[in-house]
């Protein structure tokens, strides 16, 4: 491997340069502004994200997309989900046809209901070269060399194995999966559940309540995964339960901390401006709910979060609505996977 481009200089993109740097000759980090690029190349630190982390010696930065991916063997996309299509469209003329692509963005496109690997494949072509990464990975801990793990999912086994090879290291374990739809769906919906957990924490609710939200959240994610033709068992792995636990409980979680800030009266705009981070669970609540309503999938937690964020429903009323729902069997709705799989084959 000679050259890998990391597109997006947020926390995760910055941390990703450190994971792949030992496996390649050169890593090029694309940042949006010339000011950030100048600081990255001058100080070898990111002035806006993880400022105490020193980039590896073989990492350089540019704000020119064509230069970033010139002669690159692979591109790792670490942009917010809302900007992924635009970014891929700009990359398409410059990225080599055989360069592999790893998507780190977590979300579901509104309107089309496409997952992020599908958006990338649609704009860049050759779906077999595209993979997605998901798991319980806070950039703050990865940069400190703490043990972490993730799952690399692709419809193509060679593509998954390729990225597994350049990511795996002494403190980062990379597993592979062919259930890319299940892995990506988990990554999108868990951010919504994390906002709900942040709200519950901000309201002073206890550990029991958070455990209920997380486990019912896994069931909710499972119904969406099943409806999209994924494997509900994926929800029990790194992309599902692993990522859900860390996103719902960690102080590093932007979705959880936003939920707490929301209870305290802070707006989304204020929170994102203060933290310089995008709360992916907010747009995901809209796209997932839209999909659920079209497909007849029950997503009460997502619906409650959406009602608070977009419909003006008081937080207390939304939480009460969740608690007064009549309980059903624990894992209803998962049988829809078989139906969805048959429809896909037809």
């Amino acid at each position: 491997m000679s050259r890998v481009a990391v597109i997006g200089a947020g926390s995760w993109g910055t941390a990703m340069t450190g994971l792949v740097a030992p496996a390649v000759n050169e890593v090029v980090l694309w940042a949006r502004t010339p000011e950030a690029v100048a600081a990255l190349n001058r100080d070898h630190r990111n002035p806006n994200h993880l400022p105490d982390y020193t980039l590896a010696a073989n990492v350089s930065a540019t704000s020119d997309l064509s230069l970033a991916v010139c002669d690159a063997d692979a591109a790792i996309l670490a942009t917010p989900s809302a900007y992924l299509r635009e970014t891929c469209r700009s990359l398409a003329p410059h990225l080599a046809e055989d360069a592999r692509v790893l998507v780190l963005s977590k979300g579901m496109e509104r309107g089309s209901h496409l997952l992020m690997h599908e958006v990338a494949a649609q704009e860049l072509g050759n779906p077999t070269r595209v993979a997605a990464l998901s798991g319980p990975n806070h950039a703050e801990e990865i940069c400190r060399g703490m043990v972490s793990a993730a799952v690399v999912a692709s419809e193509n086994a060679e593509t998954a194995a390729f990225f597994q090879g350049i990511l795996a290291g002494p403190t980062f374990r990379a597993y592979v999966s062919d259930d890319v739809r299940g892995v990506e769906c988990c990554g999108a919906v868990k951010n919504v559940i994390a906002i709900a957990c942040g709200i519950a924490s901000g309201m002073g609710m206890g550990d029991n309540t958070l455990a209920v939200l997380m486990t019912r959240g896994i069931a909710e994610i499972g119904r969406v995964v099943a409806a999209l033709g994924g494997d509900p068992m994926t929800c029990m792995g790194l992309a599902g339960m692993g990522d859900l636990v860390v996103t719902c409980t960690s102080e590093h979680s932007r979705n959880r901390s936003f939920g707490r800030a929301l209870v305290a009266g802070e707006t989304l705009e204020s929170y994102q401006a203060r933290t310089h981070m995008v709360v992916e669970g907010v747009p995901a609540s809209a796209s997932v709910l839209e999909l659920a309503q079209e497909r007849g999938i029950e997503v009460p937690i997502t619906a409650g979060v959406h009602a608070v964020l977009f419909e003006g429903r008081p937080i207390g009323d939304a939480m009460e609505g969740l608690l007064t729902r009549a309980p059903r069997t624990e894992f209803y709705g998962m049988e829809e996977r078989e139906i969805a799989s048959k429809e896909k084959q037809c």
Side-chain angles (χ1 to χ4, degrees), residues 39-319:
L40 283 160
N41 288 328
R42 181 186 64 244
D43 305 325
H44 238 49
R45 293 173 182 251
N46 190 328
N48 300 316
H49 302 277
L50 308 175
D52 296 329
Y53 173 65
T54 301
L55 300 175
N58 60 341
V59 177
S60 61
T62 180
S63 59
D64 187 323
L65 273 175
S66 63
L67 288 178
V69 299
C70 179
D71 297 325
D73 300 289
I76 299 176
L77 310 182
T79 64
S81 60
Y83 304 113
L84 183 64
R85 182 176 291 279
E86 174 190 346
T87 301
C88 288
R89 188 169 292 168
S90 298
L91 274 177
H94 311 291
L95 187 66
E97 292 183 1
D98 59 348
R100 299 184 191 269
V101 177
L102 181 65
V103 181
L104 308 186
S105 310
K106 296 177 180 178
M108 181 183 295
E109 188 175 55
R110 190 150 188 198
S112 72
H113 305 146
L114 293 176
L115 297 166
M116 296 295 98
H117 79 281
E118 295 172 312
V119 171
Q122 196 174 78
E123 293 294 336
L124 297 173
N126 188 8
T128 60
R129 67 170 169 170
V130 179
L133 179 82
S134 195
N137 306 133
H138 281 313
E140 295 84 353
E141 295 185 2
I142 288 176
C143 285
R144 294 168 60 190
M146 293 184 170
V147 174
S148 299
V151 58
V152 181
S154 177
E155 297 172 359
N156 182 274
E158 292 182 1
T159 298
F162 170 87
F163 284 112
Q164 180 186 40
I166 67 171
L167 289 170
T171 60
F172 192 84
R173 298 183 62 81
Y175 297 81
V176 296
S177 170
D178 62 357
D179 184 24
V180 63
R181 298 181 69 78
V183 165
E184 280 229 73
C185 189
C186 286
V189 186
K190 62 90 185 179
N191 285 329
V192 185
I193 309 301
I195 293 176
C197 286
I199 290 172
S201 175
M203 294 176 68
M205 297 185 177
D207 293 339
N208 288 352
T209 306
L210 294 179
V212 169
L213 283 170
M214 284 190 283
T215 50
R216 295 313 302 154
I218 278 290
E220 187 163 310
I221 295 169
R223 290 192 293 275
V224 179
V225 168
L228 291 179
D231 186 352
M233 183 59 69
T234 297
C235 300
M236 299 300 106
L238 289 165
M241 180 56 76
D243 204 1
L244 183 73
V245 169
V246 76
T247 308
C248 290
T249 62
S250 174
E251 64 181 12
H252 299 308
S253 169
R254 68 192 70 176
N255 291 283
R256 181 184 188 275
S257 62
F258 169 65
R260 288 180 58 87
L262 197 64
V263 174
E266 189 168 10
T267 65
L268 174 65
E269 293 74 17
S270 172
Y271 177 87
Q272 293 188 150
R274 174 170 61 84
T275 62
H276 304 289
M277 294 189 293
V278 175
V279 184
E280 292 280 26
V282 173
S285 71
S287 54
V288 172
L289 182 62
E290 185 179 80
L291 170 71
Q293 290 172 338
E294 287 186 7
R295 301 261 189 126
I297 311 165
E298 286 196 48
V299 288
I301 300 175
T302 298
V305 170
H306 183 273
V308 170
L309 295 174
F310 295 103
E311 302 168 29
R313 188 173 184 183
I315 291 174
D317 287 356
M319 190 62 70

